[in-house]
């Protein structure tokens, strides 16, 4: 396991590398001073469990701020399917995935990460959106009973994964136990289409996809364990086979269907942020489309249009914008259909409104085959 001493050593090593680098060219903006950052307005954000997203502006009013977040880390057993299979879960803020954080370009993200004494392991956070020191991983490694505060500047726009990354085999184990989430850094003037015209969403949902590797007993039944430590060796063996036993959205099969389906109305535009920290996936909205899709999730690139399925690379988060045109229940799936149906990667949108016969109509109901 990664000790604090090792963490400190790696941080020192990172500093030594920085010291040997040549001076930055004048093209790189001069750093803002600590006094200037201290003078910025501050805003405290309370995170909410996915698929919901905390209230935020799409177009920022005013200049950069320091946005304060607090995330406790919680190790806890989580039921991941209808059969009651239990994952020895590890979570940011108690949810799988961790919450979607939203800021604007130029803001400072100031995260207080808390590892309560009830936990059993060191944890940290690597923000793909951040620059330097393992994405913050080198500066945030904390033992149970500790907390740490990290600040980074949101310099690039887009949706970016964050995840726990302690050391060695702890990294994939913590990630496939639930420790990933996403931060969305919006352009200050909001989202835009390929012509630079503004795009707006009425609702935003965050779907985090996880692959789980639950060991089985001699009879093929999923095993349960007393603790994270007890589950580790068997779980690592399944992980190394690269065949997940579950591929789910938001921590469990069925977590976004039925009562928990995502809601929308005909005519509303919905932004769907989708992340996978460990494995590739291919979201598809059955009966709908991606009007505008930032497949790699980075808003400096023009969105692709009218997509049927989009590809989210393992270790990234993408964003798709769609205006619902018909009412009904839409399945939103990973279009590896074995993973969608057999392993769990299916969510539902329930959309209210009036049906449009022009777009689709059953011209003749099912009946006996007619001979001419
Ligand atoms: Cu961790």
């Amino acid at each position: 396991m990664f000790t604090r001493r090792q963490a400190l050593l790696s941080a020192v090593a990172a500093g030594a590398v920085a010291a040997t680098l040549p001076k930055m060219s004048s093209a790189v903006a001069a750093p803002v001073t600590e006094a200037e950052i201290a003078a910025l307005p501050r805003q405290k954000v309370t995170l909410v469990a996915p698929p919901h997203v905390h209230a935020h502006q799409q177009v920022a009013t005013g200049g950069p701020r320091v946005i304060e977040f607090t995330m406790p880390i919680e190790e806890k057993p989580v039921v991941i399917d209808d059969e009651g299979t239990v994952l020895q879960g590890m979570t940011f803020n108690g949810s799988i995935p961790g919450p979607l954080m939203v800021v604007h370009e130029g803001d400072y993200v100031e995260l207080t990460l808390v590892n309560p004494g009830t936990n059993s392991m060191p944890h940290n956070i690597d923000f793909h959106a951040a620059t330097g020191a393992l994405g913050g991983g080198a500066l945030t490694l904390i033992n149970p009973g500790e907390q740490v505060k990290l600040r980074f500047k949101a310099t690039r726009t887009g949706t970016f994964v964050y995840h726990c990354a302690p050391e060695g085999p702890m990294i994939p184990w913590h990630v496939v136990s639930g420790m990933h989430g996403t931060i969305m850094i919006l352009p200050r003037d909001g989202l835009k289409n390929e012509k630079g015209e503004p795009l707006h969403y009425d609702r935003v949902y965050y779907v985090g996809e996880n692959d789980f590797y639950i060991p089985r007993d001699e009879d093929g039944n999923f095993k349960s364990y007393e603790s994270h430590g007890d589950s580790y060796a068997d779980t690592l063996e399944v992980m190394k086979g690269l065949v997940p036993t579950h591929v789910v959205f938001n921590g469990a099969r069925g977590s976004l269907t039925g009562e928990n389906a995502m809601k929308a109305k005909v005519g509303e535009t919905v932004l769907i942020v989708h992340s996978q920290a460990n494995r590739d996936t291919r979201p598809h909205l059955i009966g709908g489309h991606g009007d505008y899709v930032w497949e790699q999730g980075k808003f400096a690139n023009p969105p692709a249009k009218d997509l049927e399925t989009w590809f989210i690379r393992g270790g990234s988060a993408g964003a798709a914008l769609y205006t619902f045109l018909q009412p009904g229940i839409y399945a939103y799936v990973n279009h590896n259909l074995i993973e969608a149906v057999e392993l769990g990667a299916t969510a539902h949108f329930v959309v209210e409104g009036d049906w449009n016969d022009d777009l689709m109509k059953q011209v003749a109901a099912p009946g006996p085959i007619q001979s001419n």
Side-chain angles (χ1 to χ4, degrees):
M1 251 177 230
F2 203 33
T3 63
R4 277 189 66 70
R5 203 178 108 73
Q6 285 170 306
L8 289 169
L9 287 175
S10 63
V12 168
V17 170
T20 60
L21 289 175
K23 275 266 178 244
M24 286 186 198
S25 80
S26 56
V28 177
V32 176
T33 66
E34 208 52 48
E36 287 171 304
I37 296 170
L40 292 175
R42 301 179 77 86
Q43 184 184 351
K44 204 172 270 202
V45 170
T46 303
L47 293 163
V48 301
H52 302 293
V53 180
H54 66 80
H56 60 271
Q57 294 180 315
Q58 293 182 42
V59 175
T61 50
R65 294 161 181 258
V66 179
I67 315 288
E68 301 172 25
F69 299 93
T70 297
M71 272 209 281
I73 291 162
E74 197 181 348
E75 299 170 4
K76 61 176 180 184
V78 179
V79 175
I80 57 169
D81 61 24
D82 304 335
E83 288 77 54
T85 304
V86 174
L87 165 80
Q88 287 293 332
M90 306 181 204
T91 72
F92 286 110
N93 216 45
S95 62
I96 299 178
L100 183 73
M101 310 161 79
V102 185
V103 303
H104 286 87
E105 182 182 15
D107 286 344
Y108 291 83
V109 176
E110 193 174 279
L111 171 70
T112 302
L113 189 66
V114 182
N115 191 358
T118 44
N119 286 342
S120 64
M121 286 171 282
H123 299 280
N124 67 356
I125 191 163
D126 167 358
F127 280 101
H128 290 188
T131 306
L134 313 180
L139 305 176
T140 55
L141 192 76
I142 43 174
N143 286 310
E146 294 181 328
Q147 70 171 49
V148 66
K149 197 182 283 194
L150 177 77
R151 186 185 74 213
F152 75 88
K153 190 173 191 174
T155 55
R156 296 165 200 271
T157 61
T159 50
F160 296 83
V161 158
Y162 63 78
H163 63 92
C164 191
E167 195 217 16
M170 292 296 113
I171 300 171
W173 183 41
H174 286 219
V175 170
V176 302
S177 299
M179 291 193 85
H180 100 267
T182 295
I183 184 167
M184 178 163 73
I185 299 167
L186 290 166
R188 295 206 79 80
D189 53 354
L191 298 179
K192 289 174 272 316
N193 68 11
E194 77 288 356
K195 296 179 196 142
E197 297 160 341
L199 293 171
H200 174 88
Y201 46 88
D202 300 303
R203 296 171 187 255
V204 53
Y205 289 111
Y206 170 40
V207 178
E209 183 172 331
N210 283 81
D211 42 326
F212 294 139
Y213 302 82
I214 309 295
R216 296 177 194 267
D217 63 19
E218 314 78 61
D219 301 324
N221 300 313
F222 290 123
K223 287 173 79 170
S224 54
Y225 296 88
E226 286 297 306
S227 69
H228 290 78
D230 288 344
S231 75
Y232 174 64
D234 289 354
T235 303
L236 195 63
E237 282 311 304
V238 184
M239 285 164 56
K240 288 197 276 194
L242 297 175
V243 179
T245 55
H246 299 71
V247 178
V248 303
F249 297 154
N250 286 30
R253 173 189 278 272
S255 66
L256 297 176
T257 60
E259 293 268 290
N260 301 317
M262 296 174 281
K263 312 269 191 305
K265 294 189 173 74
V266 168
E268 282 184 337
T269 300
V270 178
L271 183 72
I272 309 165
V273 176
H274 192 122
S275 65
Q276 226 299 13
N278 192 61
R279 199 165 173 274
D280 301 338
T281 183
R282 40 200 67 71
H284 173 88
L285 179 66
I286 301 178
H289 300 92
D291 289 335
Y292 295 96
V293 180
W294 294 269
E295 202 176 62
Q296 303 104 321
K298 306 305 170 281
F299 301 133
N301 306 297
K305 290 167 74 173
D306 299 330
L307 297 196
E308 57 179 313
T309 299
W310 41 103
F311 186 70
I312 309 291
R313 297 145 183 80
S316 75
L321 196 66
Y322 182 59
T323 303
F324 282 94
L325 301 176
Q326 296 277 39
I329 298 176
Y330 292 71
Y332 174 80
V333 300
N334 171 341
H335 212 291
N336 177 321
L337 296 169
I338 302 162
E339 296 180 4
V341 178
E342 297 296 333
L343 300 191
T346 298
H348 286 157
F349 280 92
V350 176
V351 180
E352 292 177 353
D354 295 326
W355 183 263
N356 180 347
D357 276 342
D358 184 39
L359 287 172
M360 184 182 283
K361 180 182 166 78
Q362 187 180 56
V363 178
I369 297 170
Q370 296 171 16
S371 52
N372 292 328

